[in-house]
Amino acid sequence: MSELPFLSDQNFNSYLLLVVAFLFYFIAFKLFNGNKEILPKVEIGKYKNSNLNDETINKYKTALINAMQIDKIYLDGKLSIQDVSDKLNIPRQYISEVLNEHMNTNFQDFINEYRVEEFVNRLKNDQNNNLTLLGIATDVGFNSKSSFNATFKKFKGVTPTQFKKNLL
């Protein structure tokens, strides 16, 4: 400290105490005014370095929806995001980004929503009266009864059995 003659140890301690007091009062002021964030939040998005533009995003969305609605690829019970990536020639990270960021869903929910709707359509079709609920669920891509029941309730708010009773 001898390099700065005007800044003695006593002056330094006074300045340090002043800075600490200022920070204490600043934080207290922020908290008392209902501002719980002392430091501003910095958004660090999962896809912040994305190379996708609006045109490509819309193209990928259309391809994903067409693959579901026209090709009905969701009927494959072993369908994975890699399978969709290979079929549509879209990198799997872009499929995830489009679903998560631009369609507000994830891969599993996206697929399962189509499966549930297909189940409902088949349940309403008299040609499927000879099938059990699990039989129809398996035909539309579900691999287990528990997964099917949980997914169906998530999307429809009732169990498949309750849903069927309401149809009658």
Side-chain angles (χ1 to χ4, degrees):
M1 299 260 185
S2 61
E3 299 88 30
L4 301 173
F6 62 90
L7 190 57
S8 67
D9 285 344
Q10 187 176 6
N11 285 344
F12 178 76
N13 289 340
S14 296
Y15 287 123
L16 183 62
L17 183 61
L18 184 64
V19 168
V20 169
F22 173 77
L23 287 174
F24 173 78
Y25 285 113
F26 173 76
I27 292 169
F29 176 78
K30 288 284 202 175
L31 291 175
F32 285 128
N33 284 328
N35 188 348
K36 301 293 183 212
E37 294 180 27
I38 304 302
L39 298 174
K41 252 188 187 169
V42 177
E43 287 292 324
I44 302 174
K46 186 175 180 182
Y47 305 104
K48 69 176 182 163
N49 294 325
S50 173
N51 294 324
L52 293 180
N53 59 37
D54 288 343
E55 182 181 337
T56 306
I57 291 166
N58 288 331
K59 183 175 117 181
Y60 289 168
K61 280 166 107 173
T62 300
L64 286 165
I65 291 167
N66 286 342
M68 297 302 132
Q69 293 178 351
I70 297 168
D71 299 335
K72 297 188 181 219
I73 64 173
Y74 57 85
L75 294 175
D76 177 357
K78 295 180 178 159
L79 186 67
S80 70
I81 193 167
Q82 188 60 54
D83 296 334
V84 176
S85 172
D86 294 342
K87 178 174 177 40
L88 300 178
N89 199 24
I90 300 172
R92 64 181 288 229
Q93 68 269 21
Y94 288 159
I95 292 173
S96 288
E97 179 181 345
V98 167
L99 290 171
N100 293 329
E101 295 290 317
H102 305 287
M103 296 176 77
N104 298 317
T105 189
N106 61 51
F107 178 76
Q108 208 57 54
D109 284 349
F110 181 68
I111 300 300
N112 284 338
E113 190 168 4
Y114 281 97
R115 289 175 175 160
V116 167
E117 290 307 316
E118 183 72 20
F119 173 87
V120 168
N121 290 336
R122 291 186 184 194
L123 189 61
K124 292 176 181 177
N125 186 333
D126 291 337
Q127 291 177 333
N128 294 308
N129 285 346
N130 61 329
L131 294 173
T132 64
L133 295 179
L134 184 57
I136 298 171
T138 303
D139 284 348
V140 301
F142 286 101
N143 292 319
S144 74
K145 183 178 181 178
S146 61
S147 169
F148 165 63
N149 286 333
T151 302
F152 191 90
K153 188 160 188 174
K154 176 180 180 178
F155 286 106
K156 294 298 181 184
V158 294
T159 66
T161 304
Q162 291 168 325
F163 187 86
K164 184 177 180 180
K165 285 179 185 174
N166 291 339
L167 284 179
L168 302 174

